[in-house]
Amino acid sequence: MAASGRIIRGISSLFSRKGKCCSSFLPSKSPILSSNAILRYNTTESSPTIKKVDAVAISSLMDFGLYVAECMPKYVQKVQIVTGNELEVLVAPDGIVPVLHFLKDHHQCQFASLADIGAMDVPSRENRFEIIYNLLSLRFNSRIRVKSYTDELTPVDSCYEVFKAADWYEREIWDMYGVFFANHPDLRRILTDYGFEGHPFRKDFPLTGYVEVRYDDEVKRVVVEPVELAQEFRKFDLSSPWETFPNLRTLPAGTEEDLKATQTGPAKQ
């Protein structure tokens, strides 16, 4: 699949033709003075821990994102660079499997490792769930993030046939968020107990939950009961940490004498 009209540098453009990585992407190491010397980087910056913005790397990533978008125009909706140097490709729900298949098998991509699948719940959106796929290319030492969306009722195609590692990741998302993955070979809960109702990571799920489990010594087994809080919910709205000390509170007029009297005891007649 070649881009039409012009040649766009793929992710392999980060590497030279001889297979060696470009020197601009590697930090320069100071020479080792002795066998037990500590390897240090020479720098004169006042804040050396702040990562510099590499315009060349960002340009290469953006070119590769546009290359993917031109190869898969039916599915790719947006390409963006976030947090400095992380490439994200936003795709339609029906394009998850084709785009992942393209990124895995295309010669210029080779993202053969599925590092993780995550989800995010934003109830204010019409499609409240974001599905996030993190891919790694060991061949080019690069990462890419593929994002899609869905709601409570619309299923998403499983990518198990593309990445076998997606098995438990998709089960976890189904368990925690309730996103249904179509064509998954074994879509069961993976973290919650048998018979659990609800999906704990949804924003509308209460923090205390609905049920609690305990071991009943009479029936000699674990029983499930409605949750019972040991105390009422208390809200601490303290504008100052010193307000817990009575002597440091701002007292209304006329009450300072009463406070002194209670602390020193009744006055002698």
Side-chain angles (χ1 to χ4, degrees):
M1 300 180 187
S4 60
R6 60 192 181 93
I7 299 176
I8 302 179
R9 292 176 295 168
I11 199 169
S12 60
S13 63
L14 300 178
F15 298 83
S16 63
R17 292 186 177 181
K18 294 183 180 180
K20 298 181 180 179
C21 186
C22 298
S23 59
S24 60
F25 295 97
L26 295 177
S28 58
K29 299 178 180 178
S30 61
I32 302 177
L33 300 179
S34 61
S35 60
N36 59 350
I38 300 176
L39 186 63
R40 298 179 181 274
Y41 294 93
N42 295 325
T43 179
T44 58
E45 297 178 352
S46 59
S47 301
T49 58
I50 300 177
K51 188 175 181 179
K52 286 186 175 181
V53 177
D54 194 336
V56 177
I58 293 177
S59 176
S60 298
L61 289 175
M62 198 63 193
D63 287 347
F64 176 71
L66 296 176
Y67 175 73
V68 175
E70 290 193 6
C71 291
M72 310 287 287
K74 180 179 177 181
Y75 304 116
V76 177
Q77 297 179 342
K78 185 178 180 181
V79 176
Q80 60 186 7
I81 302 290
V82 297
T83 63
N85 59 350
E86 297 181 6
L87 177 62
E88 289 186 353
V89 178
L90 282 63
V91 302
D94 57 348
I96 293 178
V97 174
V99 170
L100 293 181
H101 208 293
F102 172 84
L103 293 175
K104 178 184 178 182
D105 296 337
H106 194 276
H107 180 71
Q108 296 289 351
C109 306
Q110 302 186 36
F111 288 95
S113 177
L114 176 65
D116 186 25
I117 303 178
M120 184 174 64
D121 181 17
V122 185
S124 59
R125 298 178 183 173
E126 181 180 357
N127 298 299
R128 60 184 292 184
F129 297 114
E130 275 192 11
I131 313 299
I132 306 159
Y133 301 82
N134 296 303
L135 306 180
L136 169 65
S137 174
L138 297 176
R139 171 65 178 84
F140 299 119
N141 189 24
S142 183
R143 296 178 183 270
I144 191 172
R145 185 179 299 119
V146 179
K147 286 186 176 183
S148 189
Y149 52 86
T150 186
D151 54 17
E152 301 96 323
L153 302 177
T154 306
V156 176
D157 290 334
S158 173
C159 64
Y160 176 79
E161 295 300 328
V162 182
F163 295 103
K164 300 300 181 183
D167 186 3
W168 282 16
Y169 293 143
E170 292 179 348
R171 287 180 58 187
E172 183 180 1
I173 295 175
W174 158 249
D175 192 2
M176 297 289 103
Y177 292 94
V179 176
F180 186 83
F181 290 90
N183 303 320
H184 190 281
D186 186 23
L187 193 63
R188 295 177 292 132
R189 291 183 180 269
I190 191 173
L191 295 177
T192 56
D193 199 4
Y194 297 103
F196 188 88
E197 296 182 2
H199 304 281
F201 279 6
R202 288 189 177 185
K203 296 299 183 181
D204 50 8
F205 191 88
L207 295 178
T208 56
Y210 296 107
V211 296
E212 60 185 4
V213 296
R214 66 176 180 87
Y215 180 78
D216 194 329
D217 199 35
E218 294 181 358
V219 298
K220 303 299 182 182
R221 64 179 178 85
V222 176
V223 296
V224 180
E225 298 175 340
V227 64
E228 181 180 354
L229 300 181
Q231 64 182 19
E232 294 293 335
F233 178 76
R234 296 183 296 173
K235 181 180 179 181
F236 299 92
D237 188 11
L238 305 177
S239 59
S240 170
W242 303 105
E243 290 185 1
T244 55
F245 300 93
N247 291 338
L248 299 175
R249 291 177 184 160
T250 303
L251 300 177
T255 58
E256 296 182 0
E257 293 80 3
D258 299 337
L259 179 61
K260 292 180 181 179
T262 57
Q263 293 177 345
T264 58
K268 296 182 180 180
Q269 300 293 334

